[in-house]
Amino acid sequence: MLTFTLRRISLFIFTMLVLTLLSFSLSFLFPGDTVINHSGQINATASELVQLNKAYQMDKSIVDQYGAYLTHILNGDFGQSMASQSPIRNEIIELLPATIELSLVALLIAMVVGIPLGFIAAINHNKASDNVILSLAMLGYSIPVFWLGLLAILVFSIGLGWLPSAGQISLLFEIEFVTGIQFIDILLSDSPYKWQAFSNASAHIILPACVIALAPATIFIRLSRAAMIEVLAASYIRAARAKGLSFQQIIFRHAIRNALIKIIRHVGLQFANLVTIAMVTEVIFSWPGIGRWLIESIYQRDYTAIQSGLLVLSCFIFIIHILTDFIYAALNPLARGNQHGS
Amino acid sequence: MNLLDIRNLSIELDTPNGRVLAVDRVSLSIKEGEVRGLVGESGSGKSLLAQAIIGVLEDKWHVHADRFHWRGIDLLRLTIDERRALLCRDIAMIFQEPMSCLDPTTLIGEQLSEAIDSKQLSGYFWQRKKQRKEAVIKLLHKVGIKKHSQCISSYPHQLTEAICQRVMIAIALAGRPILLIADEPTATMESTNQGQIYRLLANLNQLKNMSILLISHDLENLTHWTSTITVMYSGQFVEAGTTEQIFNRPMHPYTRALVDSSTKANLQLPTKSRLMTLPGSIPILQHLPIGCRLGPRCPRAQQTCVSAPKVSNFHGHKVSCHFPILHESPRKESQKHKAVKHKTVKGNN
């Protein structure tokens, strides 16, 4: 297990190095002065420019420049936003948790709904329920998210009035910013209206999270269906049946774990897709997350913000990847051993 | 009394081009305490037959039988669930590849303990766990695994093929079966392990009076361990009889060829000469010959062989062939000829 952890950590470090290299090169590729793209200070005076050039070691070789850029990143200095001239670091700290919250809730919904449905479809393979679930999955996968988001607002917020259409929480509640993740902040706060705030925040998150979850859930349905069908055809299931186990025992003791192993890695891969969908959804539901901020910076040609936003988001996605890898190893004894080449 | 009595069992497979008759009216009976061998080339439907008996075939296979009795109970009258409940209690099966028949993500100990029926345990529920563990250790000792604690807490991929097979046998024994179906239990093992597994099975047969259906492609090896043998070819019944009858006086041309191709029967053969074999290979499921499926390869085939032969019984030695090889003393043979002549003369008159 230790070697497994070390391997994942080293993989993380090297991937992050490549990612910083990419964002570093973006400064050269974007229009404008490289050092201004790095720092985001568009209104710098001549003396400030000299200082910046020195800080980013622009007079030295490109390797030194990269080193200087890396030091800035590691110190948490992403530069300033070109549009608002405030440090990007503060904006990210404020906005990223909201995105993390939204995408994790969406992932949870997608898994909780998608995987059992896929299993049910596989167990009733070639029967009516299998076909119904598959066609629903096909339908869900084909709906574009921006349209679905608007439709959901139209039906559930405006038409039925069940759920709020925008924002993270009602403005009436004043929640102190601690971690940025709304639910944790609410639980940490000592406001007398804590539980009202909690239910209000839950009502706010349901609609956007469901909209985001739809497409990944349909993918999970297909993945888990295929995995379950494969597992149910395996010889150890046949052997378990010959052992005299009942169908439920076979499914719960043997089939589900083996099918989950096949799915869990795809969950990590699908997460990148999910975050992309979340970015669009954040715009529709005015969710104060990093996705909306990033799209706005793209509109405003805020190169520094685009760079750092990409870096932070991909870092987040990669961490989720590694976490799913750990869950995979916990479920699968074959992955835990000293295997080479993985 | 026959433990298992199957008459004319057919297995059909759904394919895109219609149903294919994979196993064609095979009969099989097993007596109590008997070790019966089931021999045939790979692809002759031995494993299918075994899986059909225990009822673990997938939905695409369709099984029919004229008679299917288990200890006098007509299984065809029971529903599928009742049949499985009955058979899983009394029949256990060891599969071909032990490694793939153990759940790769579950510990050996768990897999073993779930095979133990809770009816075997006595005592209150808090004692059950301990009793289960003791039963598991006992089972492992029974199949000759001494390092039980190490084995219990390991996953299938951490064990060797032979130990996995022993674990499979232990799982099969957990239900205290009356009949054990061993489907090529030593297919991927070296000969020392093979011997050990066969000896273990023979011990179980002798000490516990457990009947065993031993499936193998190796007729010569099988003769050491079995008392009766059934031979199959391409899903059809070929010949059945005692091991003596089958190995020493085969009546079907196919069995004859099987015996001839083994090294033991050919000790008088000069060195480096070829063993006797039938020309060609076993037909694939999509292009089965009509009638006797051995027909195109059979050295004794004649025109009548396009219709399937009926099973004829020679003192318990059953053979399904139009032209069986009869081993009779010359005197008896001539007598028979005379009788036939006499008959024809009579007929002419």
Side-chain angles (χ1 to χ4, degrees), chain A residues 233-236 238-245 250 253-255 257-258 261 331-334 336, chain B residues 51 54-58 84 88 95 100-106 110-111 114-115 155 157 168 171:
Chain A
S235 25
Y236 52 83
R238 196 177 312 154
R241 277 170 67 192
K243 230 192 264 182
L245 298 187
I250 290 174
R253 288 200 194 156
H254 297 292
R257 186 168 5 180
N258 285 292
I261 286 171
L331 281 173
N332 188 1
L334 290 161
R336 261 175 266 160
Chain B
Q51 287 173 21
I54 202 161
V56 292
L57 280 179
E58 286 158 46
R84 269 198 55 207
C88 287
F95 288 86
S100 66
C101 288
L102 291 166
D103 183 349
T105 57
T106 312
E110 271 176 65
Q111 302 195 35
E114 72 184 6
Y155 289 99
H157 70 274
M168 281 304 291
I171 288 175

Side-chain angles (χ1 to χ4, degrees), chain A:
Chain A
M1 205 60 205
L2 183 70
T3 39
F4 182 85
T5 316
L6 287 177
R7 260 168 207 280
R8 298 299 125 165
I9 288 172
S10 75
L11 183 68
F12 178 70
I13 290 171
F14 281 101
T15 315
M16 285 328 291
L17 275 180
V18 172
L19 278 173
T20 50
L21 205 61
L22 186 78
S23 77
F24 174 68
S25 65
L26 279 180
S27 289
F28 293 88
L29 298 171
F30 283 140
D33 194 30
T34 310
V35 78
I36 290 176
N37 283 343
H38 273 327
S39 63
Q41 295 187 348
I42 34 173
N43 303 323
T45 56
S47 61
E48 277 173 338
L49 261 180
V50 171
Q51 233 174 0
L52 276 176
N53 270 328
K54 205 183 159 204
Y56 283 97
Q57 303 195 338
M58 294 308 287
D59 47 345
K60 293 192 183 146
S61 73
I62 195 137
V63 180
D64 288 322
Q65 286 178 31
Y66 175 60
Y69 175 74
L70 209 57
T71 336
H72 274 92
I73 296 278
L74 287 179
N75 289 334
D77 176 14
F78 291 101
Q80 286 180 354
S81 163
M82 285 179 175
S84 65
Q85 288 297 305
S86 60
I88 289 173
R89 192 172 89 116
N90 297 353
E91 295 194 358
I92 285 178
I93 287 176
E94 230 170 89
L95 297 173
L96 186 64
T99 301
I100 291 177
E101 189 180 3
L102 182 62
S103 51
L104 286 184
V105 169
L107 182 70
L108 194 74
I109 292 175
M111 281 170 72
V112 166
V113 173
I115 293 176
L117 273 182
F119 285 165
I120 291 169
I123 290 165
N124 300 318
H125 186 39
N126 282 340
K127 284 186 197 147
S129 49
D130 180 23
N131 293 333
V132 168
I133 289 173
L134 256 194
S135 9
L136 282 182
M138 196 65 214
L139 199 72
Y141 189 63
S142 326
I143 297 175
V145 64
F146 52 87
W147 186 64
L148 180 72
L150 294 176
L151 213 62
I153 291 178
L154 199 63
V155 174
F156 293 105
S157 308
I158 300 172
L160 298 168
W162 289 351
L163 298 163
S165 68
Q168 204 175 8
I169 192 167
S170 171
L171 292 171
L172 294 171
F173 298 101
E174 219 167 86
I175 302 298
E176 210 182 328
F177 185 95
V178 186
T179 57
I181 294 176
Q182 194 83 53
F183 287 114
I184 297 177
D185 282 359
I186 289 172
L187 292 179
L188 285 177
S189 75
D190 40 7
S191 147
Y193 303 109
K194 201 154 113 174
W195 296 108
Q196 283 91 328
F198 193 83
S199 65
N200 188 273
S202 325
H204 273 85
I205 208 168
I206 288 174
L207 214 48
C210 286
V211 167
I212 297 169
L214 182 73
T218 58
I219 293 173
F220 291 156
I221 286 178
R222 287 147 152 263
L223 283 174
S224 55
R225 179 176 169 273
M228 194 54 145
I229 286 174
E230 199 181 316
V231 165
L232 284 179
S235 25
Y236 52 83
I237 297 295
R238 196 177 312 154
R241 277 170 67 192
K243 230 192 264 182
L245 298 187
S246 69
F247 193 67
Q248 278 97 339
Q249 279 176 317
I250 290 174
I251 295 291
F252 286 107
R253 288 200 194 156
H254 297 292
I256 284 185
R257 186 168 5 180
N258 285 292
L260 275 181
I261 286 171
K262 289 178 201 274
I263 304 163
I264 203 80
R265 289 204 142 170
H266 293 284
V267 171
L269 291 176
Q270 283 305 320
F271 192 70
N273 192 4
L274 188 140
V275 170
T276 320
I277 298 171
M279 286 167 70
V280 179
T281 317
E282 278 175 13
V283 176
I284 298 172
F285 286 90
S286 319
W287 190 266
I290 201 165
R292 195 172 66 130
W293 176 77
L294 203 57
I295 290 176
E296 273 167 14
S297 345
I298 292 171
Y299 279 130
Q300 292 163 346
R301 310 273 155 109
D302 189 345
Y303 301 125
T304 324
I306 295 172
Q307 246 179 34
S308 356
L310 286 179
L311 196 63
V312 168
L313 263 186
S314 43
C315 178
F316 167 53
I317 290 170
F318 201 74
I319 287 173
I320 295 290
H321 260 250
I322 288 179
L323 281 180
T324 54
D325 257 9
F326 273 104
I327 297 171
Y328 174 77
L331 281 173
N332 188 1
L334 290 161
R336 261 175 266 160
N338 299 323
Q339 285 193 342
H340 299 283
S342 66

Side-chain angles (χ1 to χ4, degrees), chain B residues 317-334:
Chain B
H317 189 167
K318 288 176 192 157
V319 63
S320 162
C321 186
H322 291 295
F323 310 102
I325 309 162
L326 297 169
H327 306 264
E328 280 166 327
S329 57
R331 216 188 93 224
K332 214 175 173 187
E333 194 118 284
S334 62

Side-chain angles (χ1 to χ4, degrees), chain A residues 243 253-254, chain B residues 102-103 105-116 129 132-137 139-140 148-156 158-159 167 170-171 174:
Chain A
K243 230 192 264 182
R253 288 200 194 156
H254 297 292
Chain B
L102 291 166
D103 183 349
T105 57
T106 312
L107 290 172
I108 295 287
E110 271 176 65
Q111 302 195 35
L112 249 171
S113 70
E114 72 184 6
I116 296 169
K129 203 176 166 191
R132 248 171 215 280
K133 200 173 173 198
E134 278 165 6
V136 164
I137 291 170
L139 278 171
L140 284 177
H148 55 260
S149 53
Q150 201 185 348
C151 186
I152 283 171
S153 57
S154 48
Y155 289 99
Q158 294 167 320
L159 302 174
V167 171
I171 288 175

